[in-house]
Amino acid sequence: MVEELVAAGVGLACAGAVYFMAAARVVKQYERGVVLRLGRLASAVREPGFTMIVPGIDRMRKVNMQIVTMPVPAQEGITRDNVTVRVDAVVYFKVVDAADAVIRVEDYRFAVSQMAQTSLRSIIGKSELDDLLSNREKLNQGLELMMDSPAIGWGVTVDRVEIKDVSLPETMKRSMARQAEATRDRRARVINADAELQASRKLAEAAAAMSDQPAALQLRLLQTVVAVAAEKNSTLVLPFPVELLRFLERSGLQAQAQTAQAEAAAEREGGRQPAGGTAPKESRPPAADGVGAEADRVLSARLEELPEAEELP
């Protein structure tokens, strides 16, 4: 009798151990347990820790409540300004209601993935190329709103959506590179023209200051010669003052005028009549007075061409 009682106790203990092992469940901190009893949802979602279910009657499904990072496959589309682009993104979402994530949608991960792809294609068609390249923050917010609205009914909330990369055709890349190069060239030309304008103003001020002191121009000439000589060049370029050229020109004109006056005076002296009689008409120089007048006119015209402010030496 005692042996039968011991055997029954051992059998009950074994059955209890088996039942305990079949009914015991452990829910991790980042999970929630959804229990389906005979196919119907139990009233309460099991919290993290140790819990028990009825073996053979209850079925518990654990739902991860962590933030899920899901890459969106690259989607190819045409922007509003008719440019073909290829865009990929990444979605960050999490489950906020474990029961809805199990009951309302078959596979919430697959549903979120498909919704992200369709939303990304829609955003590409509504946006321009410049927005995709420079205004991504606004597009990310638009994608988040488009995905978050239907995901709320699935017990899922979209934390954020970010566009990772925008791939352009090679022809478009070359066109954009040429555009950027032309813009840089235009800016360089404008800056260079502005520098030339400022330099011309400073040079005009310097010329005005040097005109008051003629010695300053000579000092500047000597500084230029010293600067050129310091480069150890085999050829020395020496600037020639324009004032010296004008001086030589005036000297040459004055010498020509004096020569013309001397010749005219000599012709007039040679054309005078002797004291004892009248010279025959053939021996008179008929154009002596005309030559002198012509020489005076040439001299006057040359002198008028010279600057009035400068005096002849």
Side-chain angles (χ1 to χ4, degrees):
M1 186 68 182
V2 176
E3 295 178 356
E4 293 178 358
L5 292 175
V6 172
V10 173
L12 289 175
C14 292
V18 172
Y19 178 83
F20 179 80
M21 293 178 61
R25 295 289 187 273
V26 175
V27 180
K28 298 180 181 178
Q29 182 64 38
Y30 54 86
E31 294 177 340
R32 298 295 182 271
V34 179
V35 179
L36 298 177
R37 181 167 294 169
L38 296 177
R40 299 185 63 180
L41 178 66
S43 59
V45 176
R46 304 299 174 90
E47 296 296 328
F50 179 80
T51 185
M52 297 285 291
I53 63 174
V54 179
I57 298 176
D58 293 345
R59 296 186 60 185
M60 188 175 70
R61 180 175 176 182
K62 298 178 182 179
V63 180
N64 193 335
M65 306 296 289
Q66 292 176 316
I67 295 178
V68 180
T69 303
M70 177 180 292
V72 180
Q75 302 296 313
E76 187 172 354
I78 300 176
T79 61
R80 192 167 61 180
D81 50 354
N82 298 325
V83 179
T84 303
V85 294
R86 190 177 180 87
V87 182
D88 56 352
V90 60
V91 181
Y92 301 89
F93 68 95
K94 65 180 179 179
V95 177
V96 293
D97 193 336
D100 290 341
V102 173
I103 301 302
R104 293 181 179 273
V105 63
E106 180 181 4
D107 187 352
Y108 67 90
R109 289 176 178 267
F110 181 75
V112 172
S113 175
Q114 295 299 314
M115 182 177 58
Q117 296 181 32
T118 55
S119 300
L120 184 58
R121 284 180 174 271
S122 178
I123 284 293
I124 292 174
K126 294 179 181 179
S127 305
E128 295 184 356
L129 179 61
D130 294 338
D131 295 334
L132 288 174
L133 296 177
S134 61
N135 197 10
R136 294 188 181 181
E137 188 65 27
K138 183 178 179 181
L139 298 180
N140 293 338
Q141 294 177 1
L143 274 172
E144 182 178 349
L145 291 175
M146 292 179 64
M147 295 179 59
D148 196 32
S149 298
I152 289 295
W154 305 338
V156 178
T157 179
V158 178
D159 188 65
R160 62 185 304 176
V161 183
E162 291 186 358
I163 296 176
K164 293 199 308 183
D165 188 22
V166 179
S167 301
L168 299 175
E170 292 297 329
T171 55
M172 180 57 64
K173 290 181 180 179
R174 289 194 294 268
S175 299
M176 294 176 67
R178 288 196 298 268
Q179 180 183 1
E181 184 179 358
T183 302
R184 295 287 182 179
D185 191 16
R186 178 180 62 84
R187 291 173 58 184
R189 290 174 183 269
V190 171
I191 293 174
N192 190 18
D194 189 15
E196 292 292 339
L197 178 60
Q198 295 180 7
S200 63
R201 291 175 180 174
K202 295 299 181 180
L203 289 175
E205 295 177 2
M210 288 182 180
S211 62
D212 297 337
Q213 298 293 334
L217 183 61
Q218 187 65 23
L219 292 176
R220 184 59 184 164
L221 175 62
L222 295 177
Q223 291 177 358
T224 304
V225 173
V226 171
V228 174
E231 298 295 334
K232 297 181 181 180
N233 296 326
S234 58
T235 304
L236 179 62
V237 179
L238 182 62
F240 201 74
V242 181
E243 288 75 9
L244 184 58
L245 295 177
R246 292 179 179 176
F247 172 74
L248 295 176
E249 184 180 3
R250 290 196 300 268
S251 299
L253 293 176
Q254 185 178 7
Q256 292 179 4
Q258 292 178 356
T259 302
Q261 288 180 355
E263 291 178 356
E267 290 179 357
R268 286 196 296 270
E269 289 294 335
R272 291 180 181 176
Q273 295 181 359
T278 303
K281 293 182 179 180
E282 291 78 4
S283 61
R284 290 181 183 178
D289 294 338
V291 172
E294 183 67 23
D296 292 339
R297 285 195 301 272
V298 171
L299 179 61
S300 300
R302 294 295 180 88
L303 292 177
E304 288 177 357
E305 294 177 357
L306 296 178
E308 296 181 0
E310 300 177 356
E311 296 181 359
L312 293 174

